Amino acid sequence: MNAPLTRRAVLGAGALLAAGPALAFPDGPVRIIVPWNAGGATDIVTRALASAMQPILGQPVVVDNRPGANGAVGAQFVAGARPDGQTLFVASAETHSVNPLLYSRLTYDPVADFGPITVFARGPFALAVRGGLGAETLDGFLALARGRPGQLTYASWGVGSTSQLAMARLTQQAGLDLLHVPFTGAAPAYAALVGAQVDAMFLNAGPAEGLARDGRVRILGVGSAERVPLLPAVPTIRELGTPLEAENWFALLGPARMPEAAIARVATVAAEALRMPAAQEVFRAQGILPVSTSPQETRAAITADREQWTTVVRTLNLRLD
């Protein structure tokens, strides 16, 4: 995600959010729909956020996993939910930036069906290669790939995923010819990289750090604008001379027509929850950066993110229907 989000200070921005008028909200449990399987980075940090929000709201905050169709299953569910603020959605680049470019007939409208609340996290990607590839640095990997066009492979967690698109952007910028090997999720893609079935991958920084501990995977750089606290010794790809940023983001959205007071209340509570040490520790362990944006900034950031992926998707001529 570009300028509207990355220039925000990590945390602290929540102080800029209006608290909104007092209201009897919520008057029951709040459900946060995660459109991915349990156990992934999105699910883990959302559960940490939900746990921290619960005592502030004074109501149970439950995470409900509804995976499928690159996030479209969960998105459709929330688009049709009552706009009372008690059903929320964790949006990402896949659901609100990439899917509209891949599908001509989405089961939800990413703009009309949702009310932006806050971007609560940025998930920097790390570029990793299998340990025996013979590429010790980013420059070494680029040189190896240029010398073996069409022979090196890279994994992703699905066609049209941000994992694929991040590598596609690198190949465009660096003039590479790599073979894409899509998997049906992050876990099998990680296993293929560790097992040397593929040569490279863009993956979340937290899992990358774990996979690299025994040397079977080497991290060449991170795709964030600044170094990731979990990987302080790993330079950014931009530092290494390639003007690339590759990361995902996670935002809380509600159904369209959600009352503005409820939107303001959730945004404020989320910002407060992200300051809790327990939540920050979970985010840090996943290599994910907590952030906080206003509803207006959230809408602008999602729009800008969709625009930046448009060129990549059109160049690849990707369609999924």
Side-chain angles (χ1 to χ4, degrees), residues 12-25:
L16 300 177
L17 297 172
L23 75 162
F25 168 82

Side-chain angles (χ1 to χ4, degrees), residues 226-233 284 287-289:
E226 65 284 325
R227 293 196 182 196
V228 178
L230 183 65
L231 299 166
R284 189 178 302 111
I288 290 177
L289 309 175

